């Protein structure tokens, strides 16, 4: 089985959500705002999973595993990627450029070492 390019999947998800929102009469700008808010919701679920994995909620105890945390972090990433794809047709290229920019700030240039 061939693994699809993640951005192809993200673009398909974005197109599906855009079509569903358009069918409901929702303007694109409103869809984008709500998608960004969805990132916050997913982050909250990741935070809740961390609290549950650490057992710091006395009422619930250890309610989550670290695998749950990993799943929720993936949800945050996917939701963020979909948000970017819903805002920008060039999401994959824009993301690659931003990744290069951030890496340039925090990682040593090739040959510089950094140990």
């Amino acid at each position: 089985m061939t693994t699809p390019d993640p951005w192809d999947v993200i673009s398909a998800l974005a197109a599906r959500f855009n079509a569903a929102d358009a069918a409901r009469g929702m303007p694109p700008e409103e869809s984008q705002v709500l998608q960004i808010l969805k990132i916050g919701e997913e982050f909250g679920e990741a935070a809740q999973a961390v609290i549950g994995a650490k057992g710091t909620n006395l009422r619930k105890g250890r309610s989550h595993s670290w695998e749950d945390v990993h799943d929720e972090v993936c949800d945050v990433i996917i939701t963020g990627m979909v948000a970017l794809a819903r805002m920008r047709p060039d999401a994959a290229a824009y993301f690659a450029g931003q990744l290069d920019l951030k890496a340039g700030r925090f990682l040593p240039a090739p040959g510089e070492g950094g140990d």
Side-chain angles (χ1 to χ4, degrees):
M1 181 172 147
T2 305
T3 304
D5 179 322
W7 279 105
D8 289 342
V9 176
I10 295 298
S11 294
L13 288 169
R16 181 177 176 119
F17 299 151
N18 285 340
D21 287 350
R24 287 193 300 262
M26 188 179 299
E29 184 177 285
E30 187 175 344
S31 295
Q32 293 168 8
V33 168
L34 292 173
Q35 183 71 38
I36 292 166
L37 292 174
K38 181 72 175 162
I39 297 168
E41 178 189 0
E42 294 297 342
F43 168 76
E45 292 174 11
Q48 182 179 12
V50 169
I51 290 166
K54 296 294 287 176
T56 58
N57 182 327
L58 297 178
R59 186 173 50 83
K60 294 182 180 180
R62 289 195 184 273
S63 59
H64 292 76
S65 68
W66 283 103
E67 189 73 21
D68 294 327
V69 175
H70 303 165
D71 292 347
E72 296 299 342
V73 168
C74 283
D75 287 351
V76 173
I77 294 166
I78 292 165
T79 302
M81 291 173 75
V82 169
L84 186 60
R86 292 183 81 179
M87 293 185 290
R88 297 186 66 103
D90 65 340
Y94 184 80
F95 178 82
Q98 288 296 305
L99 186 59
D100 284 346
L101 181 68
K102 304 309 187 225
R105 291 182 187 162
F106 297 104
L107 298 175
E112 281 187 15
D115 293 334

